Amino acid sequence: MAKTPENVETAARTAAEETGDEAATAAPAGRQAAAETPRPKGIGLVGWLRWGWRQLTTMRTALILLFLVALGSVPGSILPQRGQAPEKVAEYFEKHKTLAPWLDKLSLFDVFAAPWFAAIYILLFVSLAGCVLPRAVKHYRAMRARPPAAPRNLGRLPQHARHETDASPEEVLAEARALLRERRFRVDAGDGSVAAEKGYLGETGNLLFHLALLALLFALGVGNLFGYRGDILVTEGKTFANSLSHYDQFKPGRWFDTDGLAPFSLALDDFKATYETREGPNKGQATDYDARMRFRETPDGPEKTYHLKVNHPLSVGGAKVYLLNHGYAPVFTVRDAKGNIAFQDAVPFLPMEQVNYTSEGVIKAPDAEPEQLAFYAVLWPTAVPAKKGDQIESGWPAPLRPVVSIASFKGDVGLDSGTPQSVYKLEGLGKSLKMVKDGRQLLRPGQTFKLPEGAGSITFDGVREWTTLSVNHDPGRMPALIAAILAVVGVVASFMVRRRRVWVRAAAGDDGRTVVEVGGLTLGHPTPEFDEIVAALRGGEERGPDGSGAGETAPDTESKE
Amino acid sequence: MSSTDLANLSDKLMLTTVVLYIIAMVAYAADLGFGGRRRTADAVAEKKVLATVGGGEGGGDESAPAPAAAVEQAGGRDWGRFAVLLNVLGWAAHLGVLITRGLAASHWPWANMYEFLTAIAFAAVTAYLVCLWRFQARFLGAFVMVAVVMALGGANIWLYQEVGPVRPALNSYWIAIHVSAAIIATGAFTVAGVATILYLLKAPREARGAVGDGFWAHLPSAGNLDRLALRVTMFAFPIWTAAIIMGAIWADEAWGRYWGWDPKEIWSFITWIAYAAYLHARATAGWRGRRAAVLSLVAFACLLFNFFGVNYMFQGLHTYAAPAPTAVVETVANV
């Protein structure tokens, strides 16, 4: 900044002040001076760097960068994103075999983690910091400096007034000082004049807004680096302990220490969904989810209960637990050919549709002997005859009349190989797993299906519900909130408060009366304040509409409507 | 009254509102087109009044006396006043639509797209009436009415939904705060958008000196239109900012993260950036005037897209369709 031509800045600033109206959002002087900065010729590396820095911190560059951030976010809404829906990205790759890899090379499936996106917003924030920080220093100095002395010709200011009085110049100036101080101006006495200034809050707010945005980005970064997020599926009657192995999905921040997981535990006692039962188009819509939980902050801590609902997360051990989804987990008992229980548990099924929760799932019994058993099943929570044909469909999302259809398989389930597989799918169908002939059956709770040739049996014991819970820990949460609130406060202050200057000059006129001149300069729209000051200075004298400059009040027009 | 009665009343009031707005629109248009006899008076008054919008015009209109009253009497039929009267009645009926709808459903009446758009239209009319009261911006009336009638028509034809219960995800006091802020900001941005379009239409005519003495002369000067748009945007921008932030707080309560690049979040963010760019452009030499105005319209287009496009083109958390199942894939080693 050392070589910044101060006069250029001042010129730009005066220009901005004179055009007046935009000042509430006015650019810093430094940002406007760019056009006047000569293109460097043979200035060496330092010169080029300085030139580059100045270019980067101009308002034009900032505007272009802002625009690029907006433009760069667009593909994030059009294309599926890995961060939000990885399965949809996979689907997209299936559908667009040639295009997808190209898009992927441009990180278009990870827009918000893409290097080019980071480049844009880091440049933007550097540009912002490069402008705001020096400006903050300047503002601090300006706040402590004396108000600028009165210009020679007050008549050329946007607001001006002139009157004569019998009081002496000294009296007038003393009164002006008192009056302006009373109005909370900072007042400085000059030679035969008074200079006053107020409204620094506007610029303070403007700086606060921009600094708060920097802080917000910083808080987001801290949250991403030091936080974690995980999803778990919990069935009624089961317990979850907050450790890595219990998570179905776990995304730690880059610098999160996984040993630092808070040692809390949760148990889901009961999940209850309430549905709209009144007739009408909304019948069957969920109106409330309520998961009754028990939890402990630490393994030895006291047990507490909590009703986990949507919009009502549980805070435990510095983490927050959210209710995400729900579904059904039918309970089955599988007996093998020898009559031993090979499997007995609730099996989470995934909804095939979201209205009445027809769900599907698989039961794997690798312990069955001599041959391993597996089943594919469909659950209708409230089984009713389908309108067409002799099929079944679910008529209601709650489990009023649950029925499962079972298809049986035997052979090798494939779990012994150690390769991870989905708990919602059967692998090796038709290869290692053969369908059991006549192995299909509909079951109601309590019913048992005996497989042909004494291969074993499966009992449908009943239906439980599961919920998916999201657990996250985000140390940036509170700082981000505070920064966001400060940003709003800042932007409101910068829009509401305008800096304004008032000068009063008093001198003896030719006829012995004192000539009082008042001049006003407001960044932004002139306010009625100036007229009030002038009126107060005139005291009891007549106050006509003349001489009020471009004042705001127009009472005669208002009464017209 | 029962919930059904209230819902029916709400629908009837909606019809009343639309009819009143349509007549008001015609009356405003008549005022703009044929209000010729009062033109001189209005032109003077507008000049003076709109100076309050922008100021900084210099002391040019100091000498403006108030001949309005005198000319007013000679004016004969006053389409403008008739329009304002109908407009205010329509506004009251519109308020009634929202209140009865809310009472019928016993939740805040912006839980679905129909209610949301109705509320936005209400906010736009309110913003216009405030501009009318503060800045005598009656010239905006016809255009705001066109936008509002289109919005309400669209809401009734394509988006209508019967009164229903609120989804668990929307069952939070944040709906009152976050959605209201979004509605108010959108309403105000709409008025700013109308003023900006008028500015873009009027500015080149003014530059060519081709204003004539008809319709275009009846509008305030391009500079004043521009400043009105800026002021309304400056009012709406902090509210929009707050709406996004409160949305983030709510998202943190409901979905477990305060920012997840959901399509709605992305487009709110883009809209915010576009308006921020406009506000900065207004203050930057070389971007003022036409370029800034175009930026403002780009921002308004983003706002509209955020409302319609995002809800109907993308699958996101704000679509209020059934929630997508989270594919929870367990890596099974030991069962």
Side-chain angles (χ1 to χ4, degrees):
Chain A
M1 288 301 283
K3 269 190 81 180
T4 307
E6 204 58 44
N7 53 341
V8 171
E9 277 206 28
T10 330
R13 180 157 154 180
T14 325
E17 282 174 0
E18 269 164 14
T19 42
D21 44 279
E22 282 84 21
T25 57
R31 293 204 142 187
Q32 297 201 339
E36 286 137 87
T37 314
R39 225 163 244 276
K41 255 182 221 158
I43 49 173
L45 181 66
V46 178
W48 275 107
L49 283 176
R50 186 175 289 149
W51 178 80
W53 176 252
R54 205 166 289 157
Q55 287 300 311
L56 180 66
T57 53
T58 58
M59 181 69 88
R60 197 182 48 179
T61 313
L63 272 177
I64 292 168
L65 287 170
L66 259 181
F67 196 68
L68 285 177
V69 170
L71 206 65
S73 336
V74 174
S77 69
I78 296 169
L79 293 168
Q81 297 293 300
R82 287 211 177 86
Q84 281 72 47
E87 70 284 352
K88 284 195 182 136
V89 176
E91 207 175 285
Y92 194 89
F93 265 84
E94 282 290 308
K95 274 190 200 153
H96 305 86
K97 287 209 164 61
T98 45
L99 184 62
W102 282 101
L103 296 177
D104 201 24
K105 271 180 197 156
L106 298 170
S107 308
L108 288 175
F109 299 109
D110 279 305
V111 167
F112 303 105
W116 57 264
F117 194 74
I120 299 172
Y121 73 72
I122 288 172
L123 272 178
L124 176 62
F125 276 83
V126 170
S127 163
L128 192 62
C131 164
V132 171
L133 294 178
R135 201 171 153 180
V137 173
K138 214 162 152 191
H139 179 58
Y140 177 73
R141 286 207 194 110
M143 274 200 309
R144 298 170 59 100
R146 291 154 52 142
R152 196 172 306 145
N153 188 353
L154 291 180
R156 288 176 62 183
L157 291 169
Q159 289 174 305
H160 60 94
R162 185 192 153 94
H163 66 270
E164 292 182 7
T165 176
D166 291 326
S168 74
E170 290 73 31
E171 282 168 356
V172 171
L173 291 178
E175 197 200 333
R177 278 197 297 272
L179 178 78
L180 289 165
R181 281 217 180 88
E182 199 177 295
R183 286 178 163 268
R184 304 178 61 89
F185 274 83
R186 291 192 312 116
V187 181
D188 191 36
D191 184 23
S193 65
V194 169
E197 192 173 24
K198 94 186 228 192
Y200 282 96
L201 196 59
E203 171 73 352
T204 308
N206 189 13
L207 292 169
L208 178 67
F209 172 70
H210 289 95
L211 288 172
L213 289 185
L214 287 170
L216 184 61
L217 185 82
F218 189 69
L220 271 166
V222 166
N224 276 335
L225 287 172
F226 293 98
Y228 69 85
R229 152 186 310 279
D231 292 340
I232 19 154
L233 183 146
V234 185
T235 309
E236 284 170 323
K238 303 259 170 155
T239 303
F240 160 78
N242 191 29
S243 71
L244 227 47
S245 60
H246 279 75
Y247 280 101
D248 302 322
Q249 269 182 359
F250 190 77
K251 283 186 220 155
R254 190 166 295 170
W255 294 342
F256 176 70
D257 176 13
T258 42
D259 297 335
L261 280 171
F264 62 86
S265 63
L266 307 164
L268 177 65
D269 283 342
D270 182 35
F271 178 84
K272 215 173 120 204
T274 316
Y275 302 95
E276 174 72 43
T277 49
R278 279 174 296 180
E279 287 301 326
N282 301 298
K283 194 179 173 187
Q285 183 189 312
T287 54
D288 188 39
Y289 301 124
D290 182 358
R292 209 178 69 224
M293 323 266 319
R294 281 174 294 125
F295 70 96
R296 288 177 203 272
E297 294 254 355
T298 52
D300 320 316
E303 194 172 62
K304 296 174 199 157
T305 56
Y306 192 82
H307 283 268
L308 190 65
K309 289 164 177 264
V310 180
N311 280 316
H312 187 52
L314 163 68
S315 292
V316 57
K320 277 185 151 189
V321 182
Y322 300 84
L323 185 62
L324 286 189
N325 264 321
H326 74 110
Y328 292 106
V331 185
F332 295 98
T333 307
V334 177
R335 289 189 168 78
D336 62 13
K338 297 176 179 171
N340 296 326
I341 292 179
F343 177 88
Q344 186 169 40
D345 204 355
V347 184
F349 277 29
L350 293 183
M352 302 161 79
E353 43 91 11
Q354 296 287 337
V355 181
N356 289 326
Y357 277 81
T358 309
S359 308
E360 63 179 343
V362 299
I363 305 115
K364 298 176 186 182
D367 296 338
E369 288 174 358
E371 273 190 295
Q372 298 183 355
L373 294 175
F375 305 88
Y376 167 78
V378 173
L379 166 78
W380 296 276
T382 298
V384 291
K387 285 170 192 84
K388 283 185 284 187
D390 53 354
Q391 297 198 307
I392 301 177
E393 66 180 17
S394 179
W396 189 250
L400 301 180
R401 189 172 176 273
V403 167
V404 290
S405 94
I406 301 280
S408 323
F409 301 86
K410 58 183 179 182
D412 181 8
V413 177
L415 285 173
D416 302 335
S417 65
T419 337
Q421 54 169 263
S422 166
V423 291
Y424 304 103
K425 271 187 191 149
L426 292 177
E427 312 247 330
L429 281 179
K431 292 171 199 139
S432 57
L433 267 184
K434 300 270 190 260
M435 196 169 200
V436 176
K437 203 178 169 230
D438 296 325
R440 291 179 166 276
Q441 181 71 34
L442 289 180
L443 292 177
R444 301 239 228 127
Q447 290 184 331
T448 300
F449 171 49
K450 290 204 163 57
L451 295 181
E453 300 162 19
S457 70
I458 179 164
T459 308
F460 175 29
D461 299 317
V463 175
R464 290 194 207 156
E465 292 190 58
W466 55 256
T467 62
T468 38
L469 304 178
S470 172
V471 179
N472 78 48
H473 167 66
D474 185 345
R477 184 181 267 130
M478 274 322 279
L481 179 62
I482 292 166
I485 291 170
L486 288 179
V488 174
V489 170
V491 76
V492 168
S494 80
F495 283 179
M496 305 263 291
V497 182
R498 280 158 280 180
R499 196 163 67 191
R500 47 238 191 243
R501 292 177 184 158
V502 173
W503 292 279
V504 180
R505 179 173 285 142
D510 298 334
D511 58 355
R513 298 190 80 202
T514 302
V515 177
V516 182
E517 272 191 292
V518 191
L521 183 62
T522 305
L523 282 163
H525 330 287
T527 59
E529 186 183 45
F530 180 80
D531 302 333
E532 289 163 25
I533 291 169
V534 171
L537 279 176
R538 282 182 181 174
E541 288 174 49
E542 40 74 57
R543 16 186 319 202
D546 56 313
S548 61
E552 177 147 292
T553 41
D556 42 312
T557 345
E558 271 179 4
S559 61
K560 173 197 156 253
E561 190 55 52
Chain B
M1 269 203 279
S2 78
S3 165
T4 332
D5 290 342
L6 280 167
N8 286 338
L9 179 61
S10 175
D11 293 349
K12 282 193 185 111
L13 280 171
M14 171 59 91
L15 186 67
T16 316
T17 306
V18 174
V19 169
L20 284 169
Y21 282 168
I22 289 175
I23 306 175
M25 175 175 76
V26 174
Y28 277 127
D31 180 44
L32 276 184
F34 315 125
R37 263 176 289 183
R38 302 189 314 108
R39 187 174 304 138
T40 353
D42 272 354
V44 172
E46 254 164 16
K47 196 175 178 199
K48 176 138 184 151
V49 168
L50 278 161
T52 69
V53 171
E57 283 290 271
D61 23 300
E62 275 168 37
S63 57
V71 188
E72 189 85 54
Q73 287 160 355
R77 264 176 311 228
D78 189 343
W79 286 104
R81 279 193 178 185
F82 180 58
V84 171
L85 176 71
L86 287 173
N87 194 169
V88 171
L89 287 176
W91 180 85
H94 201 159
L95 181 64
V97 171
L98 291 173
I99 292 175
T100 47
R101 182 94 185 174
L103 288 174
S106 56
H107 57 73
W108 286 85
W110 29 82
N112 56 49
M113 290 293 278
Y114 167 74
E115 293 170 352
F116 191 44
L117 190 53
T118 307
I120 286 178
F122 180 75
V125 177
T126 311
Y128 159 69
L129 289 176
V130 170
C131 286
L132 181 71
W133 170 57
R134 286 286 298 275
F135 315 132
Q136 275 73 39
R138 198 162 74 200
F139 60 92
L140 281 176
F143 308 97
V144 172
M145 283 303 113
V146 169
V148 165
V149 167
M150 274 164 41
L152 290 182
N156 279 288
I157 295 166
W158 293 299
L159 305 175
Y160 185 78
Q161 277 184 32
E162 304 239 348
V163 169
V166 70
R167 294 172 187 286
L170 294 181
N171 190 7
S172 163
Y173 57 89
W174 282 108
I175 193 171
I177 309 170
H178 161 65
V179 188
S180 307
I183 286 167
I184 293 168
T186 307
F189 278 139
T190 307
V191 170
V194 168
T196 307
I197 292 172
L198 291 179
Y199 162 78
L200 280 176
L201 292 174
K202 176 134 187 185
R205 283 180 174 82
E206 218 171 63
R208 285 201 310 268
V211 173
D213 60 358
F215 173 79
W216 294 108
H218 219 129
L219 296 177
S221 74
N224 282 332
L225 284 168
D226 192 30
R227 274 187 286 273
L228 177 69
L230 175 71
R231 276 198 103 163
V232 179
T233 308
M234 279 169 68
F235 163 77
F237 183 76
I239 299 179
W240 184 251
T241 313
I244 294 177
I245 289 167
M246 293 185 294
I249 299 172
W250 189 8
D252 191 47
E253 288 291 297
W255 302 324
R257 83 289 182 294
Y258 53 88
W259 198 262
W261 299 110
D262 172 73
K264 195 67 146 192
E265 291 170 347
I266 294 175
W267 279 93
S268 309
F269 174 67
I270 292 175
T271 307
W272 185 82
I273 285 193
Y275 275 112
Y278 160 73
L279 288 173
H280 284 94
R282 271 305 308 257
T284 309
W287 281 77
R288 242 170 245 160
R290 195 181 160 73
R291 277 212 226 178
V294 170
L295 252 179
S296 160
L297 287 188
V298 168
F300 187 58
C302 292
L303 184 78
L304 290 182
F305 184 78
N306 189 25
F307 183 69
F308 295 104
V310 169
N311 281 59
Y312 294 103
M313 284 164 64
F314 305 132
Q315 267 292 321
L317 289 163
H318 279 82
T319 47
Y320 308 125
T326 32
V328 186
V329 180
E330 221 171 307
T331 45
V332 178
N334 41 1
V335 180

